[in-house]
Amino acid sequence: MFTSRIGLKSLALVCRSLATMLHSGIAVDRAFTVAADKAGDGRCREALQNVHGAIRTGSQVGTAMRDQGEAFPALMIDLVDVGEQTGTLPEVLKSLSGHYENLLRLRRDFRRQIAWPLFQLVAAILVIAVVIVILGWIAESRSGEPLDITGLGLSGESGALMWLVMTFGSLFGLFVAYKVFIRSLSRRKWLDGLLLGVPVVGRCLRSFAIARFSWSFALTQQSGMSIAPSLKASLKATSNGAFIAAGPGIWQMVREGHALSEALAASHLFPREFIETVSVAEASGTVPEMLDHLSPQFEEDARRDLQALTAALGWAVWAAVAVFIIILIFNIFSIYLGQINDALRQT
C-alpha cells in the first residue's frame, strides 16, 4: 500500500536540474552527483547516488534507474532509455519536469478545492460527538436516562469516543480497502470502468486520462520510441485501470494494420472528438505534433472538470450532513414524544 517511490515535487526538481546541467554540457555522472547533493528528500538522494555509482561502473542511465526498484516511475525510466539512445536526454528530462510540475499543480488544486467539504464533514462529526457528551452530562446530573440521538445507544464520553472511532475508523477503513483493491489491475479496470460511467466523476477521470495519454504519446513518439512501447507507456501514464487494461487490444488492432484512431475508438474509452482529431492527424502524419499541441487544452478541460467534481463533492457533504441532522431531529422528537405519551398514561 505504501511505497518508497520518490514524490512528485522531488521528481520535478531532479528532472529540471538534470536537464539544465546536461544542456550546459556537464557529464551525466557529474550531473547526478550534483542533483543528489541538492536533493532534500533522503530517498531521492540515496537513489540518485546509487544511479551515479552505477553510471561510473559503465551502466546506462535507464538501467541504473530501473535497478532502484520503485523509486523512479516506469514512464520516466522508459523515456530516459529512449532519450539516452537518441541523444535527446536533456529535452526528455525537461519535458518530464514540466509533466511532474503539472501533476503537482493538479494535486494541489484538488486538495485545496476539497479541503472545505472535508472540513465540513469533520466538523459535523465532531459536533455530534460534543452533543453526545453534553447530553450524557445532563442525564447524569438529573439521574435520568440520556437521550440517544444517534439511535446507537451512545452517551457520555465513552459514547462520543465510540462515535469518533466508528466514523473516522470507517473512513480510514474505506481508504485502506481502496488501496488494497486497486493493487490488482483487473480490479482497477473494473473500478475505474465503473467510475467512468458516473456523472461528473467519470468526465473528470476521462479528461485527466486523455490529457496524460496525449502528453505521453506525443513525447514518446517525438523522442523516437517505437509504437508498441509508446502506446503501452502512454496508456500507463493515464493512471487509470480501464485505459491501461485496454492497451493489449489497442496494440493488437494496430499490429493487424488498423489505423490508430480505429484502435482507440474500439476501446470505447476516448470521446468522438478526440478520435476525429487523431484521424485527421493520421492522414497528415502529424499525430504526435497534434496531440502535443492539444494536450494543454485537454488539461484545461480536466481542470474545469475537477472544479465541477469538487463542487459536487461539496454538495454531497452538505446533503449527508443535512440528512444526518434530519435523522437526529426525528430521533429527538420520537424520544420526547415517547416521554410525553408515558407521562399521559401515568396520569
Side-chain angles (χ1 to χ4, degrees):
M1 181 172 60
F2 301 103
T3 68
S4 58
R5 179 171 295 179
I6 299 171
L8 288 178
K9 182 177 181 180
S10 296
L11 286 174
L13 293 174
V14 166
C15 289
R16 180 72 65 183
S17 178
L18 289 173
T20 301
M21 288 187 284
L22 293 178
H23 266 302
S24 64
I26 296 177
V28 175
D29 61 333
R30 177 60 181 166
F32 272 89
T33 300
V34 175
D37 293 338
K38 292 171 58 178
D41 177 45
R43 178 69 183 97
C44 180
R45 186 185 310 109
E46 178 185 0
L48 292 174
Q49 289 172 345
N50 291 339
V51 171
H52 167 258
I55 294 173
R56 293 292 298 270
T57 60
S59 294
Q60 297 292 317
V61 177
T63 303
M65 293 174 66
R66 190 172 285 107
D67 290 341
Q68 304 310 307
E70 295 185 343
F72 298 100
L75 176 63
M76 179 180 181
I77 296 173
D78 292 340
L79 288 175
V80 166
D81 270 332
V82 176
E84 195 173 16
Q85 294 168 13
T86 58
T88 59
L89 186 55
E91 291 77 10
V92 167
L93 288 170
K94 183 178 179 181
S95 296
L96 281 170
S97 68
H99 173 62
Y100 292 128
E101 287 167 357
N102 183 57
L103 290 181
L104 194 61
R105 284 194 298 270
L106 289 174
R107 178 179 293 180
R108 287 171 178 168
D109 288 345
F110 177 77
R111 289 176 176 173
R112 185 179 66 252
Q113 294 173 30
I114 201 64
W116 179 243
L118 286 179
F119 172 79
Q120 292 174 317
L121 178 61
V122 172
I125 293 173
L126 294 177
V127 167
I128 293 170
V130 171
V131 171
I132 292 174
V133 172
I134 293 175
L135 291 177
W137 287 346
I138 294 174
E140 184 178 351
S141 65
R142 296 181 177 181
S143 301
E145 289 293 327
L147 292 178
D148 183 11
I149 61 171
T150 63
L152 301 173
L154 304 178
S155 65
E157 293 89 340
S158 61
L161 180 60
M162 181 61 68
W163 165 256
L164 294 176
V165 170
M166 289 171 56
T167 52
F168 289 119
S170 298
L171 294 175
F172 180 74
L174 288 174
F175 172 76
V176 173
Y178 169 77
K179 287 293 185 180
V180 172
F181 188 83
I182 64 173
R183 290 176 69 89
S184 166
L185 179 58
S186 60
R187 291 196 294 262
R188 283 185 63 189
K189 174 188 176 182
W190 177 84
L191 179 60
D192 288 338
L194 181 66
L195 293 175
L196 286 174
V198 177
V200 183
V201 176
R203 189 174 66 248
C204 182
L205 293 178
R206 194 182 304 274
S207 296
F208 277 122
I210 292 175
R212 292 173 180 175
F213 173 84
S214 302
W215 172 86
S216 180
F217 189 76
L219 179 59
T220 52
Q221 287 292 285
Q222 290 172 346
S223 63
M225 186 180 289
S226 59
I227 183 66
S230 176
L231 276 173
K232 180 180 178 181
S234 301
L235 290 168
K236 191 173 183 180
T238 64
S239 299
N240 187 292
F243 281 79
I244 296 172
I250 294 174
W251 165 237
Q252 181 65 27
M253 289 191 64
V254 173
R255 187 171 60 179
E256 291 174 353
H258 293 275
L260 177 62
S261 57
E262 294 176 351
L264 295 178
S267 69
H268 304 293
L269 293 172
F270 296 85
R272 183 174 179 179
E273 58 269 22
F274 182 85
I275 299 299
E276 294 296 332
T277 300
V278 173
S279 179
V280 172
E282 277 185 300
S284 59
T286 59
V287 174
E289 293 79 6
M290 178 68 74
L291 292 182
D292 186 42
H293 177 70
L294 292 178
S295 180
Q297 177 181 326
F298 297 138
E299 290 179 359
E300 185 59 32
D301 291 340
R303 291 178 189 277
R304 285 195 294 267
D305 291 335
L306 177 61
Q307 292 177 349
L309 174 60
T310 52
L313 288 174
W315 281 107
V317 170
W318 269 109
V321 173
V323 168
F324 199 86
I325 290 174
I326 292 173
I327 293 174
L328 291 181
I329 292 173
F330 274 103
N331 281 341
I332 294 173
F333 177 77
S334 62
I335 291 171
Y336 277 111
L337 184 61
Q339 292 177 351
I340 293 172
N341 288 333
D342 292 339
L344 290 175
R345 292 194 193 98
Q346 292 176 2
T347 60

